[in-house]
């Protein structure tokens, strides 16, 4: 029988003591051995919840005055939305009055029916509890006290972490006691640039010693986690082949956080690494094979013609996505000016930049001061950088992180991957004008001859972009790439070498974009 901790909130201590045996019997019929903690109001209830970390709250709807219990439930649900709340009453309440005081209880137990042992009512109530209560009460995090890094060091937030794991691990009310995991160890993995907390989760059964399926748990701000969960169901579950994606094992939510658990890559049967590592090691043939796999027109899923839609105003698309507010754009343009002068000897003259005998437009003018018109959209991963592409030693390629997945410009995933190649590829020794010339020579990717290894990979991405979407003007690729790289300049973590590559990409994209416009005008 599973353990269950419940707070019994009632200002009438005599009635509370008389009621608890009936509730204990109710929970036993559901398969739970309940332990009760008493409280007489909202303040005492909060103290008991913080001290004993219960799974269930039972609260009288009236307490010492009409509706006081409903107000207390609403307040405690706001603070502890993951608590399962059972309302009970010594009087009658109409649904209209209850609905006006949300959030309210998850289920109601009529005290008279409970005391009277009304069999049919109790059977229906037990079924309701088993349908709605989805928490693994027996699981514990073995290294909880050592998880001192990140936001979960505080006691209240540690409680939220425990609650998230309990929700993720729930798989029914009567699991096999030698199979189902009841111990979890969390190993921090780092959350990248998103601010999320990512853990490798190892779970085991303490009786049999069986180690269960490893998982990756990603904990994010509540709205971001919900968005990723929605995206997984909308675009990934039925849209990607099983060999390209991780499996969703469970999810949970608390006041501040949401969590999603994905199956660990290939159940940890094979070693794996992010594509970023292969780029850093300059494993160019391996990277080229992965890029071809990801973007091959013969293997496309999200990029298929039936999913393409014509959209209005590509400028608004990228301004809204990367440069909300004038500060975001000004920070990026200031960094652009600094790197242009230092790395390329650029001379800034109003809306233009002079480098050697070439003149380039400033990004603000070229990107946001000229109408670009329509563009095509499809389903995009939304953040297909090299850290979100995992390579297993058996050759499989798997996507992770679907927080940004949804409809976007057809070239967005290609541009993001191209930027990762620039950020993480090992140093080929190109700097200054030599680097800029290589970026200019890359163009639309048609002729990779004479290019260094990094730019050959960039050219490959661009060729595949054109093969996938021959109907989309390639000027929108130059625009998207310039906008994305400009956005990267807002990152304080860029090394000087990365910033130089990013600015070189911006300059080259703007050059091709502006000269293409002039050719059309001519």
């Amino acid at each position: 029988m599973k353990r269950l901790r419940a707070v019994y909130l009632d200002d009438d201590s005599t009635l509370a003591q008389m009621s608890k045996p009936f509730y204990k019997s109710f929970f036993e019929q559901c398969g739970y051995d309940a332990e009760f903690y008493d409280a007489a109001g909202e303040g005492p209830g909060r103290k008991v919840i913080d001290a004993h970390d219960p799974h269930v709250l039972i609260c009288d709807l009236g307490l010492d005055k009409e509706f006081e219990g409903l107000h207390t439930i609403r307040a405690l649900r706001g603070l502890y939305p993951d608590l399962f709340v059972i309302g009970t009453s010594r009087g009658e309440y109409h649904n209209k009055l209850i609905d006006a005081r949300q959030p309210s209880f998850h289920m109601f137990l009529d005290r008279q029916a409970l005391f009277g042992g009304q069999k049919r009512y109790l059977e229906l109530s037990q079924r309701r509890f088993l349908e709605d209560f989805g928490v693994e009460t027996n699981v514990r995090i073995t290294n909880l006290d050592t998880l001192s890094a990140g936001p979960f060091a505080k006691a209240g937030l540690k409680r939220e972490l425990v609650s998230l794991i309990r929700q993720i691990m729930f798989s029914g009310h009567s699991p096999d006691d030698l199979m189902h995991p009841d111990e979890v160890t969390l190993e921090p993995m780092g959350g990248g640039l998103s601010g999320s907390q990512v853990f490798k989760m190892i779970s085991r059964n303490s009786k049999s010693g069986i180690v269960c399926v490893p998982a990756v748990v990603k904990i994010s701000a509540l709205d971001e986690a919900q968005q990723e969960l929605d995206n997984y169901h909308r675009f990934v579950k039925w849209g990607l082949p099983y060999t390209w994606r991780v499996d969703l094992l469970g999810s949970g939510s608390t006041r501040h956080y949401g969590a999603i658990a994905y199956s660990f890559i290939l159940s940890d049967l094979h070693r794996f690494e992010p594509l970023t590592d292969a780029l850093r090691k300059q494993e160019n043939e391996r990277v080229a094979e992965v890029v071809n796999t990801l973007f091959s027109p013969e293997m496309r899923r999200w990029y298929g013609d039936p999913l393409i839609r014509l959209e209005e105003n590509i400028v608004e698309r990228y301004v809204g996505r990367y440069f909300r507010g004038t500060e975001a754009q000004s920070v990026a343009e200031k960094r652009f000016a600094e790197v242009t002068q230092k790395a390329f000897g650029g001379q800034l003259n109003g809306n233009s930049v002079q480098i050697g005998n070439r003149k380039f437009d400033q990004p603000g003018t070229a990107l946001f001061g000229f109408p670009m018109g329509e563009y095509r959209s499809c389903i995009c991963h939304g953040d297909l950088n090299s850290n979100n592409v995992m390579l297993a030693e058996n050759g499989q390629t798997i996507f992770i992180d679907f927080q940004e997945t949804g409809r976007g410009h057809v070239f967005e995933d290609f541009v993001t991957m191209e930027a990762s190649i620039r950020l993480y590829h090992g140093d080929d020794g190109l700097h200054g004008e030599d680097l800029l010339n290589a970026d200019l020579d890359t163009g639309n990717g048609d002729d990779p001859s004479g290019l260094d290894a990094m730019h050959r990979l960039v050219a490959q991405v661009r060729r595949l972009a054109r093969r996938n979407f021959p109907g989309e003007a390639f000027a929108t690729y130059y625009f998207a790439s310039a906008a994305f790289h400009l956005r990267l300049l807002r990152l304080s973590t860029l090394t000087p070498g990365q910033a130089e590559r990013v600015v070189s990409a911006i300059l080259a994209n703007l050059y091709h974009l502006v000269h293409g416009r002039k050719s059309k005008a001519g």
Side-chain angles (χ1 to χ4, degrees):
M1 188 172 290
K2 289 186 175 184
R3 299 185 300 272
L4 184 141
R5 293 187 296 276
V7 174
Y8 196 98
L9 207 155
D10 198 323
D11 60 312
D12 187 333
S13 59
T14 301
L15 184 59
Q17 293 304 315
M18 184 173 65
S19 302
K20 281 188 286 188
F22 293 96
Y23 279 100
K24 187 171 182 64
S25 175
F26 175 86
F27 288 125
E28 285 177 351
Q29 293 299 313
C30 296
Y32 289 88
D33 181 15
E35 179 181 7
F36 295 93
Y37 300 92
D38 294 329
E42 179 187 337
R46 290 176 61 176
K47 291 181 180 179
V48 171
I49 292 170
D50 291 337
H52 297 286
D53 191 17
H55 312 103
V56 173
L57 169 68
I58 304 169
C59 184
D60 187 278
L61 302 190
L63 294 180
D64 61 346
K65 62 180 72 171
E66 190 176 22
F67 304 133
E68 183 64 26
L70 284 171
H71 292 304
T72 298
I73 289 173
R74 179 167 61 180
L76 293 177
R77 282 287 307 276
L79 295 171
Y80 311 99
D82 48 304
L83 263 183
F84 189 86
V85 179
I86 298 176
T88 188
S89 174
R90 61 192 83 164
E92 293 185 357
Y93 288 87
H94 296 292
N95 287 338
K96 185 183 294 185
L97 298 175
I98 293 172
D99 290 341
R101 291 161 175 82
Q102 296 293 331
S104 188
F105 46 79
H106 293 90
M107 65 175 289
F108 179 81
L109 268 180
D110 183 273
R111 188 173 281 158
Q112 290 183 340
L114 188 66
F115 287 4
Q118 296 180 19
K119 184 177 179 180
R120 182 58 179 164
Y121 176 83
L122 291 178
E123 287 176 350
L124 292 174
S125 297
Q126 288 159 4
R127 184 185 303 172
R128 171 75 182 275
F129 175 77
L130 293 174
E131 287 174 352
D132 293 349
F133 182 70
V135 174
E136 182 50 62
T137 61
N138 282 2
V139 73
R140 72 183 186 93
I141 303 174
T142 60
N143 62 330
L144 180 62
D145 291 336
T146 64
L147 291 173
S148 56
F152 301 106
K154 296 180 181 179
L157 297 183
K158 273 191 177 180
R159 181 201 162 274
E160 293 196 43
L161 174 61
V162 172
S163 178
L164 292 170
I165 297 302
R166 286 175 182 159
Q167 294 172 62
I168 285 170
M169 297 300 293
F170 178 74
S171 59
H173 298 282
S174 303
D176 189 284
D177 65 339
L178 296 178
M179 176 67 189
H180 191 70
D182 57 6
E183 291 183 345
V184 163
T185 302
L186 298 176
E187 301 175 3
M189 296 179 65
L193 301 175
S194 66
S196 300
Q197 302 290 314
V198 182
F199 300 91
K200 179 178 179 180
M201 183 172 74
I202 305 298
S203 56
R204 63 187 292 273
N205 183 284
S206 60
K207 290 183 179 179
S208 64
I210 289 178
V211 177
C212 302
V213 174
V216 172
V217 177
K218 181 181 178 184
I219 301 176
S220 310
L222 185 59
D223 57 341
E224 294 174 357
Q226 186 58 55
Q227 184 64 61
E228 181 165 358
L229 185 62
D230 290 346
N231 289 344
Y232 185 92
H233 288 299
R234 292 174 64 199
F235 303 115
V236 179
K237 184 176 181 179
W238 300 108
L240 283 185
Y242 189 74
T243 54
W244 278 18
R245 62 177 170 87
V246 288
D247 194 21
L248 179 65
L249 296 178
S251 62
S253 61
T254 59
R255 182 185 180 189
H256 298 99
Y257 297 102
I260 301 173
Y262 294 116
S263 57
F264 207 64
I265 309 302
L266 300 175
S267 296
D268 212 20
L269 297 176
H270 299 275
R271 288 182 300 173
F272 71 95
E273 63 179 357
L275 180 59
T276 299
D277 289 357
L279 284 167
R280 285 179 171 141
K281 292 182 287 187
Q282 299 189 50
E283 296 176 349
N284 298 315
E285 291 184 5
R286 186 184 184 197
V287 173
E289 184 178 347
V290 171
V291 168
N292 193 59
T293 299
L294 294 179
F295 297 128
S296 171
E298 289 74 30
M299 299 183 68
R300 60 185 177 176
R301 294 293 177 129
W302 288 333
Y303 306 148
D305 290 340
L307 295 176
I308 292 178
R309 180 185 297 160
L310 196 62
E311 309 280 1
E312 296 181 358
N313 203 329
I314 192 172
V315 176
E316 285 188 5
R317 165 69 186 173
Y318 282 97
V319 169
R321 185 164 169 77
Y322 299 138
F323 301 102
R324 291 176 184 168
T326 56
E327 183 180 356
Q329 184 178 333
S330 63
V331 169
E333 290 182 340
K334 180 180 178 182
R335 186 85 178 276
F336 171 84
E338 292 171 352
V339 177
T340 299
Q341 291 173 310
K342 184 174 182 180
F344 300 95
Q347 301 294 318
L348 305 180
N349 301 306
N351 292 329
S352 65
V353 179
Q354 188 75 35
I355 299 176
N357 60 358
R358 291 194 183 97
K359 182 180 285 189
F360 301 84
D361 282 42
Q362 289 267 26
T365 303
L367 292 177
F368 311 124
F370 193 95
M372 285 286 294
E374 296 176 331
Y375 67 97
R376 287 167 175 79
S377 71
C378 65
I379 306 304
C380 300
H381 179 280
D383 192 14
L384 196 60
N385 68 73
S386 56
N387 289 313
N388 288 334
V389 178
M390 295 295 171
L391 312 180
E393 62 182 356
N394 71 342
Q396 279 192 263
T397 301
I398 297 176
F399 299 158
I400 62 172
D401 192 348
F402 305 102
Q403 189 170 306
E404 301 294 334
T405 300
R407 185 162 288 279
H409 179 214
V410 292
F411 290 145
E412 278 186 32
D413 285 350
F414 297 85
V415 164
T416 306
M417 181 56 63
E418 173 186 315
S420 284
I421 293 171
R422 297 180 190 279
L423 288 177
Y424 300 118
H425 192 275
D427 191 354
D428 281 339
L430 291 178
H431 298 281
E433 286 198 57
D434 290 337
L435 174 63
L436 179 56
N437 288 333
D439 276 314
L440 289 166
D441 291 342
T442 301
N444 64 9
D446 255 351
D447 184 11
S449 62
L451 295 176
D452 61 284
M454 182 187 78
H455 287 92
R456 284 199 300 272
L457 291 172
V458 172
Q460 180 189 4
V461 172
R462 294 186 172 192
R463 287 196 305 276
L464 287 167
R466 289 191 296 113
R467 285 183 60 195
N468 275 275
F469 302 106
E472 178 75 350
F474 204 71
T476 65
Y477 190 103
Y478 293 134
F479 177 90
S481 183
F484 185 86
H485 283 87
L486 183 64
R487 170 242 187 181
L488 292 178
L489 290 179
R490 293 160 46 197
L491 300 177
S492 60
T493 54
L494 289 182
T495 67
Q498 288 176 323
E500 182 181 8
R501 287 183 177 183
V502 167
V503 168
S504 180
I506 295 170
L507 289 166
N509 281 306
L510 293 180
Y511 185 87
H512 290 301
L513 179 65
V514 172
H515 279 257
R517 290 172 182 166
K518 290 179 179 178
S519 297
K520 279 188 176 182

